[in-house]
Amino acid sequence: MVLRRLTLSDAEAIFDRWLSDERVSDNRVSPAHKFISETVKKLETICGQYDNEDFCHWGMELKASGELIGEIDLYDFDEQTGNCEVSYSVGPNWWNKGYATEALREVVRFAFETMNVHKISAAHNTDNPSSGKVMLKSGMRQEGIVRDMIRNAKNQYKDCAIYGMLQADYENSNTRSNSQGDS
């Protein structure tokens, strides 16, 4: 997989593959896009922020086919604490194939090694346990559940499981991985 900047020419793929899909929007705060113009507007906002050094939003592209299958971003950087959050969306045709885990692992590495963050947090609706598995496989730990944390586009309140990873956790897991590889 390649993580790359999105462009306006990606609008149709993004609209068709995940942003217009109710199965994806059920796990997001924002509703499914009904018109491609909504996707274009979102992309204009994203593309307009790429010059900011702390703007971290990528498309997930399969190396073999060049298909754009999802997006992932780091956001809400808190200068005082050094913390940030991560979110991702993948089109349903690519669910349960390891792509979200691969992308999240790379973004976690980037956050700690390049952005030097202290902690990364993420949340998922408790009725979407697959997203929790992605977070666990990426080295994050569940820290709790917040009741009625979000209200989705269908006006439904959703409990969310909160996950996090500290830079120390990341460094310890890499030290263990490297020492096991040496034996």
Side-chain angles (χ1 to χ4, degrees), residues 103-165:
L104 183 55
R105 284 180 178 156
E106 181 56 26
V107 169
V108 164
R109 184 201 63 74
F110 176 82
F112 289 126
E113 294 181 12
T114 303
M115 300 298 288
N116 197 33
V117 301
H118 172 71
K119 181 180 181 177
I120 299 173
S121 298
H124 72 84
N125 298 345
T126 55
D127 56 1
N128 181 19
S130 294
S131 193
K133 290 177 185 175
V134 168
M135 294 172 197
L136 287 171
K137 288 177 186 177
S138 300
M140 300 179 93
R141 298 180 189 170
Q142 185 174 343
E143 297 179 340
I145 294 178
V146 177
R147 296 181 309 145
D148 287 357
M149 182 176 163
I150 65 161
R151 185 166 54 187
N152 70 11
K154 294 179 178 173
N155 209 27
Q156 301 165 319
Y157 282 97
K158 297 287 185 170
D159 296 348
C160 290
I162 309 298
Y163 288 72
M165 180 187 273

Short mmCIF file of all heavy atoms in Angstrom, two decimals, residues 103-165:
data_model
loop_
_atom_site.label_atom_id
_atom_site.label_comp_id
_atom_site.label_asym_id
_atom_site.label_seq_id
_atom_site.Cartn_x
_atom_site.Cartn_y
_atom_site.Cartn_z
N ALA A 103 -2.18 0.53 7.02
CA ALA A 103 -2.13 1.99 6.97
C ALA A 103 -1.96 2.58 8.36
O ALA A 103 -1.14 3.49 8.56
CB ALA A 103 -3.39 2.54 6.32
N LEU A 104 -2.71 2.06 9.34
CA LEU A 104 -2.61 2.61 10.69
C LEU A 104 -1.22 2.37 11.28
O LEU A 104 -0.66 3.26 11.92
CB LEU A 104 -3.70 2.02 11.59
CG LEU A 104 -3.74 2.57 13.02
CD1 LEU A 104 -3.86 4.10 13.03
CD2 LEU A 104 -4.89 1.93 13.79
N ARG A 105 -0.65 1.22 11.06
CA ARG A 105 0.72 0.96 11.55
C ARG A 105 1.70 1.98 10.98
O ARG A 105 2.57 2.48 11.69
CB ARG A 105 1.16 -0.46 11.20
CG ARG A 105 0.56 -1.51 12.06
CD ARG A 105 1.03 -2.89 11.67
NE ARG A 105 0.47 -3.90 12.54
CZ ARG A 105 0.31 -5.17 12.20
NH1 ARG A 105 0.70 -5.60 11.00
NH2 ARG A 105 -0.20 -6.02 13.06
N GLU A 106 1.57 2.28 9.71
CA GLU A 106 2.49 3.24 9.08
C GLU A 106 2.26 4.64 9.63
O GLU A 106 3.21 5.39 9.86
CB GLU A 106 2.34 3.22 7.56
CG GLU A 106 3.26 4.17 6.83
CD GLU A 106 4.75 3.96 7.13
OE1 GLU A 106 5.16 2.85 7.50
OE2 GLU A 106 5.51 4.95 7.00
N VAL A 107 1.02 5.03 9.84
CA VAL A 107 0.73 6.36 10.37
C VAL A 107 1.18 6.48 11.83
O VAL A 107 1.70 7.52 12.24
CB VAL A 107 -0.76 6.70 10.18
CG1 VAL A 107 -1.16 7.94 10.95
CG2 VAL A 107 -1.06 6.89 8.69
N VAL A 108 1.04 5.41 12.59
CA VAL A 108 1.56 5.40 13.97
C VAL A 108 3.07 5.60 13.95
O VAL A 108 3.61 6.42 14.70
CB VAL A 108 1.18 4.08 14.69
CG1 VAL A 108 2.01 3.86 15.93
CG2 VAL A 108 -0.31 4.07 15.02
N ARG A 109 3.77 4.87 13.07
CA ARG A 109 5.22 5.03 12.94
C ARG A 109 5.56 6.47 12.59
O ARG A 109 6.43 7.10 13.21
CB ARG A 109 5.78 4.08 11.87
CG ARG A 109 7.31 4.14 11.77
CD ARG A 109 7.82 3.63 10.43
NE ARG A 109 7.36 4.43 9.31
CZ ARG A 109 7.81 5.65 8.99
NH1 ARG A 109 8.73 6.24 9.72
NH2 ARG A 109 7.33 6.30 7.95
N PHE A 110 4.87 7.03 11.62
CA PHE A 110 5.11 8.40 11.19
C PHE A 110 4.87 9.39 12.34
O PHE A 110 5.67 10.30 12.56
CB PHE A 110 4.19 8.75 10.01
CG PHE A 110 4.29 10.17 9.54
CD1 PHE A 110 5.31 10.57 8.69
CD2 PHE A 110 3.37 11.12 9.97
CE1 PHE A 110 5.40 11.88 8.26
CE2 PHE A 110 3.45 12.43 9.55
CZ PHE A 110 4.47 12.82 8.69
N ALA A 111 3.80 9.19 13.07
CA ALA A 111 3.46 10.10 14.17
C ALA A 111 4.55 10.12 15.23
O ALA A 111 4.94 11.20 15.70
CB ALA A 111 2.13 9.70 14.80
N PHE A 112 5.04 8.95 15.60
CA PHE A 112 6.04 8.90 16.66
C PHE A 112 7.45 9.23 16.16
O PHE A 112 8.20 9.92 16.84
CB PHE A 112 6.03 7.53 17.34
CG PHE A 112 4.80 7.31 18.18
CD1 PHE A 112 4.00 6.20 17.98
CD2 PHE A 112 4.43 8.22 19.15
CE1 PHE A 112 2.86 5.99 18.75
CE2 PHE A 112 3.29 8.03 19.93
CZ PHE A 112 2.51 6.92 19.73
N GLU A 113 7.81 8.78 14.98
CA GLU A 113 9.18 8.96 14.49
C GLU A 113 9.39 10.30 13.78
O GLU A 113 10.49 10.84 13.83
CB GLU A 113 9.57 7.81 13.57
CG GLU A 113 9.66 6.48 14.31
CD GLU A 113 10.06 5.33 13.41
OE1 GLU A 113 10.50 5.55 12.26
OE2 GLU A 113 9.95 4.17 13.88
N THR A 114 8.38 10.82 13.12
CA THR A 114 8.53 12.07 12.36
C THR A 114 7.88 13.25 13.07
O THR A 114 8.49 14.31 13.19
CB THR A 114 7.94 11.91 10.94
OG1 THR A 114 8.59 10.81 10.29
CG2 THR A 114 8.13 13.17 10.13
N MET A 115 6.66 13.07 13.53
CA MET A 115 5.93 14.17 14.17
C MET A 115 6.26 14.29 15.67
O MET A 115 5.92 15.27 16.30
CB MET A 115 4.42 13.99 13.99
CG MET A 115 3.96 13.97 12.54
SD MET A 115 4.29 15.49 11.65
CE MET A 115 3.10 16.59 12.39
N ASN A 116 6.91 13.28 16.21
CA ASN A 116 7.33 13.25 17.61
C ASN A 116 6.17 13.51 18.58
O ASN A 116 6.30 14.27 19.53
CB ASN A 116 8.47 14.24 17.86
CG ASN A 116 9.20 13.95 19.15
OD1 ASN A 116 9.32 12.79 19.56
ND2 ASN A 116 9.68 14.99 19.80
N VAL A 117 5.04 12.86 18.34
CA VAL A 117 3.90 13.02 19.24
C VAL A 117 4.13 12.19 20.50
O VAL A 117 4.92 11.24 20.52
CB VAL A 117 2.55 12.63 18.58
CG1 VAL A 117 2.29 13.48 17.34
CG2 VAL A 117 2.48 11.16 18.26
N HIS A 118 3.45 12.57 21.55
CA HIS A 118 3.52 11.85 22.82
C HIS A 118 2.51 10.70 22.86
O HIS A 118 2.82 9.61 23.34
CB HIS A 118 3.25 12.81 23.99
CG HIS A 118 3.11 12.13 25.30
ND1 HIS A 118 4.17 11.55 25.95
CD2 HIS A 118 2.02 11.90 26.07
CE1 HIS A 118 3.74 10.99 27.08
NE2 HIS A 118 2.44 11.19 27.17
N LYS A 119 1.30 10.96 22.35
CA LYS A 119 0.24 9.95 22.39
C LYS A 119 -0.68 10.10 21.19
O LYS A 119 -0.99 11.20 20.77
CB LYS A 119 -0.59 10.11 23.67
CG LYS A 119 -1.71 9.08 23.80
CD LYS A 119 -2.50 9.27 25.08
CE LYS A 119 -3.59 8.22 25.17
NZ LYS A 119 -4.35 8.32 26.42
N ILE A 120 -1.10 8.95 20.69
CA ILE A 120 -2.11 8.89 19.63
C ILE A 120 -3.35 8.24 20.22
O ILE A 120 -3.25 7.22 20.90
CB ILE A 120 -1.64 8.04 18.43
CG1 ILE A 120 -0.39 8.62 17.80
CG2 ILE A 120 -2.74 7.91 17.40
CD1 ILE A 120 0.20 7.72 16.75
N SER A 121 -4.50 8.84 19.95
CA SER A 121 -5.77 8.28 20.39
C SER A 121 -6.68 8.04 19.20
O SER A 121 -6.55 8.70 18.16
CB SER A 121 -6.48 9.25 21.35
OG SER A 121 -5.71 9.45 22.51
N ALA A 122 -7.59 7.11 19.36
CA ALA A 122 -8.59 6.82 18.34
C ALA A 122 -9.83 6.28 19.04
O ALA A 122 -9.76 5.82 20.18
CB ALA A 122 -8.06 5.79 17.34
N ALA A 123 -10.94 6.34 18.36
CA ALA A 123 -12.19 5.82 18.91
C ALA A 123 -12.97 5.11 17.81
O ALA A 123 -12.83 5.45 16.64
CB ALA A 123 -13.03 6.96 19.49
N HIS A 124 -13.77 4.15 18.22
CA HIS A 124 -14.68 3.50 17.27
C HIS A 124 -16.00 3.22 17.97
O HIS A 124 -16.06 3.04 19.19
CB HIS A 124 -14.08 2.22 16.68
CG HIS A 124 -14.01 1.07 17.64
ND1 HIS A 124 -15.07 0.23 17.87
CD2 HIS A 124 -13.01 0.63 18.43
CE1 HIS A 124 -14.73 -0.69 18.75
NE2 HIS A 124 -13.48 -0.47 19.12
N ASN A 125 -17.06 3.20 17.18
CA ASN A 125 -18.37 2.84 17.71
C ASN A 125 -18.27 1.40 18.23
O ASN A 125 -17.69 0.54 17.57
CB ASN A 125 -19.45 2.89 16.63
CG ASN A 125 -19.64 4.25 16.05
OD1 ASN A 125 -19.19 5.25 16.60
ND2 ASN A 125 -20.32 4.32 14.92
N THR A 126 -18.85 1.14 19.39
CA THR A 126 -18.76 -0.21 19.95
C THR A 126 -19.48 -1.25 19.08
O THR A 126 -19.18 -2.44 19.19
CB THR A 126 -19.31 -0.25 21.39
OG1 THR A 126 -20.64 0.25 21.40
CG2 THR A 126 -18.42 0.55 22.33
N ASP A 127 -20.38 -0.80 18.22
CA ASP A 127 -21.04 -1.75 17.32
C ASP A 127 -20.23 -1.96 16.03
O ASP A 127 -20.72 -2.55 15.08
CB ASP A 127 -22.48 -1.36 17.02
CG ASP A 127 -22.65 0.04 16.45
OD1 ASP A 127 -21.63 0.73 16.24
OD2 ASP A 127 -23.80 0.45 16.20
N ASN A 128 -19.01 -1.51 16.03
CA ASN A 128 -18.07 -1.73 14.92
C ASN A 128 -16.78 -2.34 15.47
O ASN A 128 -15.73 -1.71 15.45
CB ASN A 128 -17.79 -0.41 14.19
CG ASN A 128 -16.84 -0.58 13.02
OD1 ASN A 128 -16.65 -1.68 12.51
ND2 ASN A 128 -16.24 0.52 12.60
N PRO A 129 -16.84 -3.57 15.99
CA PRO A 129 -15.67 -4.17 16.63
C PRO A 129 -14.49 -4.40 15.68
O PRO A 129 -13.34 -4.47 16.12
CB PRO A 129 -16.19 -5.49 17.20
CG PRO A 129 -17.41 -5.80 16.39
CD PRO A 129 -18.00 -4.48 16.00
N SER A 130 -14.75 -4.46 14.38
CA SER A 130 -13.64 -4.66 13.43
C SER A 130 -12.64 -3.51 13.50
O SER A 130 -11.43 -3.73 13.37
CB SER A 130 -14.16 -4.79 12.00
OG SER A 130 -14.92 -5.97 11.87
N SER A 131 -13.13 -2.30 13.73
CA SER A 131 -12.23 -1.17 13.84
C SER A 131 -11.36 -1.30 15.09
O SER A 131 -10.18 -0.95 15.08
CB SER A 131 -13.01 0.14 13.86
OG SER A 131 -12.15 1.24 13.68
N GLY A 132 -11.93 -1.83 16.17
CA GLY A 132 -11.13 -2.07 17.38
C GLY A 132 -10.03 -3.07 17.13
O GLY A 132 -8.91 -2.92 17.65
N LYS A 133 -10.31 -4.09 16.32
CA LYS A 133 -9.28 -5.08 15.99
C LYS A 133 -8.13 -4.43 15.23
O LYS A 133 -6.96 -4.76 15.44
CB LYS A 133 -9.88 -6.23 15.18
CG LYS A 133 -10.80 -7.11 15.99
CD LYS A 133 -11.44 -8.18 15.13
CE LYS A 133 -12.45 -8.98 15.95
NZ LYS A 133 -13.18 -9.94 15.12
N VAL A 134 -8.46 -3.50 14.33
CA VAL A 134 -7.42 -2.76 13.59
C VAL A 134 -6.53 -2.01 14.57
O VAL A 134 -5.30 -2.05 14.48
CB VAL A 134 -8.06 -1.78 12.57
CG1 VAL A 134 -7.03 -0.82 12.01
CG2 VAL A 134 -8.75 -2.56 11.46
N MET A 135 -7.15 -1.34 15.53
CA MET A 135 -6.38 -0.55 16.51
C MET A 135 -5.50 -1.45 17.35
O MET A 135 -4.32 -1.15 17.58
CB MET A 135 -7.34 0.27 17.37
CG MET A 135 -8.06 1.35 16.57
SD MET A 135 -9.34 2.16 17.56
CE MET A 135 -10.30 2.94 16.26
N LEU A 136 -6.04 -2.59 17.82
CA LEU A 136 -5.24 -3.52 18.61
C LEU A 136 -4.07 -4.08 17.82
O LEU A 136 -2.94 -4.15 18.32
CB LEU A 136 -6.12 -4.67 19.13
CG LEU A 136 -7.10 -4.32 20.26
CD1 LEU A 136 -8.05 -5.48 20.52
CD2 LEU A 136 -6.35 -3.92 21.52
N LYS A 137 -4.32 -4.49 16.58
CA LYS A 137 -3.25 -5.04 15.74
C LYS A 137 -2.17 -4.01 15.44
O LYS A 137 -1.04 -4.36 15.12
CB LYS A 137 -3.82 -5.57 14.42
CG LYS A 137 -4.62 -6.84 14.57
CD LYS A 137 -5.20 -7.25 13.21
CE LYS A 137 -6.12 -8.42 13.32
NZ LYS A 137 -6.72 -8.75 12.01
N SER A 138 -2.53 -2.74 15.56
CA SER A 138 -1.57 -1.66 15.31
C SER A 138 -0.81 -1.26 16.57
O SER A 138 -0.02 -0.33 16.53
CB SER A 138 -2.30 -0.45 14.72
OG SER A 138 -2.92 -0.81 13.51
N GLY A 139 -1.09 -1.94 17.67
CA GLY A 139 -0.36 -1.69 18.90
C GLY A 139 -1.06 -0.78 19.89
O GLY A 139 -0.52 -0.51 20.98
N MET A 140 -2.25 -0.31 19.56
CA MET A 140 -2.98 0.55 20.48
C MET A 140 -3.65 -0.31 21.56
O MET A 140 -3.87 -1.51 21.35
CB MET A 140 -4.02 1.38 19.73
CG MET A 140 -3.41 2.28 18.67
SD MET A 140 -4.65 3.23 17.75
CE MET A 140 -4.62 4.71 18.74
N ARG A 141 -3.95 0.30 22.69
CA ARG A 141 -4.63 -0.38 23.78
C ARG A 141 -5.99 0.28 24.04
O ARG A 141 -6.09 1.50 23.99
CB ARG A 141 -3.84 -0.24 25.08
CG ARG A 141 -2.48 -0.86 25.06
CD ARG A 141 -1.83 -0.64 26.41
NE ARG A 141 -0.43 -1.03 26.36
CZ ARG A 141 0.43 -0.78 27.31
NH1 ARG A 141 0.06 -0.12 28.39
NH2 ARG A 141 1.68 -1.18 27.20
N GLN A 142 -6.98 -0.56 24.36
CA GLN A 142 -8.27 0.02 24.72
C GLN A 142 -8.14 0.64 26.11
O GLN A 142 -7.63 0.03 27.03
CB GLN A 142 -9.39 -1.02 24.71
CG GLN A 142 -10.73 -0.37 24.96
CD GLN A 142 -11.91 -1.32 24.83
OE1 GLN A 142 -11.80 -2.39 24.26
NE2 GLN A 142 -13.05 -0.91 25.36
N GLU A 143 -8.62 1.89 26.22
CA GLU A 143 -8.50 2.62 27.48
C GLU A 143 -9.85 2.81 28.16
O GLU A 143 -9.90 3.24 29.30
CB GLU A 143 -7.84 3.97 27.23
CG GLU A 143 -6.42 3.83 26.71
CD GLU A 143 -5.74 5.15 26.44
OE1 GLU A 143 -6.43 6.19 26.29
OE2 GLU A 143 -4.50 5.15 26.37
N GLY A 144 -10.93 2.53 27.47
CA GLY A 144 -12.24 2.68 28.08
C GLY A 144 -13.33 2.82 27.05
O GLY A 144 -13.09 2.75 25.84
N ILE A 145 -14.54 3.00 27.56
CA ILE A 145 -15.71 3.21 26.71
C ILE A 145 -16.43 4.46 27.20
O ILE A 145 -16.62 4.65 28.40
CB ILE A 145 -16.67 2.00 26.75
CG1 ILE A 145 -15.96 0.79 26.12
CG2 ILE A 145 -17.98 2.31 26.02
CD1 ILE A 145 -16.77 -0.49 26.14
N VAL A 146 -16.77 5.33 26.27
CA VAL A 146 -17.51 6.54 26.59
C VAL A 146 -18.93 6.36 26.04
O VAL A 146 -19.11 6.14 24.84
CB VAL A 146 -16.85 7.79 25.97
CG1 VAL A 146 -17.67 9.03 26.26
CG2 VAL A 146 -15.42 7.95 26.48
N ARG A 147 -19.89 6.44 26.93
CA ARG A 147 -21.28 6.25 26.53
C ARG A 147 -21.77 7.47 25.75
O ARG A 147 -21.43 8.61 26.08
CB ARG A 147 -22.17 6.03 27.75
CG ARG A 147 -21.82 4.74 28.48
CD ARG A 147 -22.70 4.48 29.69
NE ARG A 147 -22.77 5.63 30.56
CZ ARG A 147 -23.87 5.97 31.25
NH1 ARG A 147 -24.97 5.26 31.16
NH2 ARG A 147 -23.86 7.03 32.03
N ASP A 148 -22.55 7.22 24.71
CA ASP A 148 -23.14 8.27 23.89
C ASP A 148 -22.12 9.34 23.48
O ASP A 148 -22.40 10.53 23.50
CB ASP A 148 -24.32 8.94 24.61
CG ASP A 148 -25.55 8.07 24.68
OD1 ASP A 148 -25.53 6.97 24.11
OD2 ASP A 148 -26.54 8.50 25.30
N MET A 149 -20.94 8.90 23.08
CA MET A 149 -19.85 9.82 22.75
C MET A 149 -20.15 10.64 21.50
O MET A 149 -19.77 11.79 21.41
CB MET A 149 -18.54 9.06 22.57
CG MET A 149 -17.36 9.94 22.26
SD MET A 149 -15.86 8.94 22.20
CE MET A 149 -14.78 10.07 21.35
N ILE A 150 -20.77 10.01 20.53
CA ILE A 150 -21.07 10.72 19.29
C ILE A 150 -22.55 10.55 18.95
O ILE A 150 -23.23 9.67 19.46
CB ILE A 150 -20.22 10.22 18.10
CG1 ILE A 150 -20.55 8.77 17.77
CG2 ILE A 150 -18.74 10.44 18.35
CD1 ILE A 150 -20.12 8.33 16.40
N ARG A 151 -22.99 11.41 18.05
CA ARG A 151 -24.31 11.25 17.43
C ARG A 151 -24.05 11.21 15.94
O ARG A 151 -23.52 12.15 15.37
CB ARG A 151 -25.25 12.39 17.81
CG ARG A 151 -26.64 12.17 17.28
CD ARG A 151 -27.67 13.08 17.88
NE ARG A 151 -27.28 14.48 17.75
CZ ARG A 151 -27.95 15.48 18.31
NH1 ARG A 151 -29.00 15.25 19.06
NH2 ARG A 151 -27.55 16.71 18.14
N ASN A 152 -24.42 10.11 15.32
CA ASN A 152 -24.13 9.96 13.90
C ASN A 152 -25.14 10.71 13.04
O ASN A 152 -26.06 11.35 13.55
CB ASN A 152 -24.01 8.48 13.51
CG ASN A 152 -25.32 7.72 13.53
OD1 ASN A 152 -26.41 8.29 13.65
ND2 ASN A 152 -25.22 6.40 13.43
N ALA A 153 -24.97 10.60 11.74
CA ALA A 153 -25.81 11.33 10.79
C ALA A 153 -27.26 10.89 10.84
O ALA A 153 -28.15 11.62 10.40
CB ALA A 153 -25.26 11.17 9.38
N LYS A 154 -27.53 9.70 11.39
CA LYS A 154 -28.91 9.21 11.52
C LYS A 154 -29.50 9.59 12.87
O LYS A 154 -30.52 9.06 13.27
CB LYS A 154 -28.92 7.69 11.34
CG LYS A 154 -28.54 7.26 9.94
CD LYS A 154 -28.53 5.76 9.81
CE LYS A 154 -28.18 5.39 8.38
NZ LYS A 154 -27.99 3.94 8.24
N ASN A 155 -28.82 10.51 13.56
CA ASN A 155 -29.27 11.03 14.85
C ASN A 155 -29.27 9.96 15.94
O ASN A 155 -30.02 10.03 16.90
CB ASN A 155 -30.64 11.69 14.73
CG ASN A 155 -30.81 12.80 15.75
OD1 ASN A 155 -29.84 13.41 16.18
ND2 ASN A 155 -32.05 13.04 16.15
N GLN A 156 -28.40 8.94 15.77
CA GLN A 156 -28.29 7.88 16.76
C GLN A 156 -27.06 8.15 17.63
O GLN A 156 -25.99 8.41 17.11
CB GLN A 156 -28.09 6.52 16.08
CG GLN A 156 -29.18 6.12 15.14
CD GLN A 156 -28.76 4.98 14.23
OE1 GLN A 156 -27.64 4.95 13.72
NE2 GLN A 156 -29.67 4.05 14.02
N TYR A 157 -27.25 8.08 18.93
CA TYR A 157 -26.10 8.18 19.83
C TYR A 157 -25.37 6.85 19.83
O TYR A 157 -25.99 5.78 19.79
CB TYR A 157 -26.55 8.53 21.25
CG TYR A 157 -26.88 9.99 21.39
CD1 TYR A 157 -28.20 10.43 21.29
CD2 TYR A 157 -25.87 10.92 21.61
CE1 TYR A 157 -28.50 11.78 21.41
CE2 TYR A 157 -26.17 12.27 21.73
CZ TYR A 157 -27.48 12.69 21.63
OH TYR A 157 -27.77 14.01 21.74
N LYS A 158 -24.05 6.93 19.86
CA LYS A 158 -23.22 5.73 19.82
C LYS A 158 -22.20 5.77 20.95
O LYS A 158 -21.55 6.79 21.19
CB LYS A 158 -22.46 5.64 18.48
CG LYS A 158 -23.35 5.50 17.26
CD LYS A 158 -23.95 4.12 17.20
CE LYS A 158 -24.73 3.92 15.92
NZ LYS A 158 -25.12 2.54 15.76
N ASP A 159 -22.07 4.63 21.64
CA ASP A 159 -20.99 4.47 22.59
C ASP A 159 -19.72 4.23 21.80
O ASP A 159 -19.75 3.57 20.74
CB ASP A 159 -21.23 3.25 23.49
CG ASP A 159 -22.46 3.38 24.37
OD1 ASP A 159 -23.01 4.49 24.48
OD2 ASP A 159 -22.86 2.35 24.95
N CYS A 160 -18.61 4.73 22.29
CA CYS A 160 -17.34 4.56 21.59
C CYS A 160 -16.27 3.98 22.51
O CYS A 160 -16.17 4.37 23.68
CB CYS A 160 -16.84 5.90 21.05
SG CYS A 160 -17.83 6.54 19.69
N ALA A 161 -15.52 3.05 21.98
CA ALA A 161 -14.35 2.51 22.66
C ALA A 161 -13.17 3.41 22.31
O ALA A 161 -12.98 3.76 21.14
CB ALA A 161 -14.08 1.08 22.23
N ILE A 162 -12.43 3.79 23.33
CA ILE A 162 -11.28 4.69 23.17
C ILE A 162 -10.00 3.87 23.24
O ILE A 162 -9.83 3.05 24.15
CB ILE A 162 -11.25 5.76 24.28
CG1 ILE A 162 -12.61 6.47 24.40
CG2 ILE A 162 -10.12 6.74 24.07
CD1 ILE A 162 -13.04 7.22 23.18
N TYR A 163 -9.11 4.12 22.30
CA TYR A 163 -7.82 3.44 22.26
C TYR A 163 -6.72 4.48 22.27
O TYR A 163 -6.92 5.61 21.85
CB TYR A 163 -7.69 2.60 20.97
CG TYR A 163 -8.56 1.37 20.97
CD1 TYR A 163 -9.93 1.47 20.83
CD2 TYR A 163 -8.00 0.11 21.11
CE1 TYR A 163 -10.74 0.35 20.84
CE2 TYR A 163 -8.79 -1.02 21.11
CZ TYR A 163 -10.16 -0.90 20.98
OH TYR A 163 -10.94 -2.02 20.99
N GLY A 164 -5.54 4.07 22.73
CA GLY A 164 -4.42 4.98 22.73
C GLY A 164 -3.10 4.23 22.67
O GLY A 164 -3.02 3.03 22.94
N MET A 165 -2.08 4.97 22.30
CA MET A 165 -0.71 4.46 22.32
C MET A 165 0.20 5.62 22.68
O MET A 165 0.11 6.69 22.08
CB MET A 165 -0.31 3.88 20.96
CG MET A 165 1.13 3.35 20.95
SD MET A 165 1.69 2.83 19.31
CE MET A 165 1.11 1.15 19.30
#
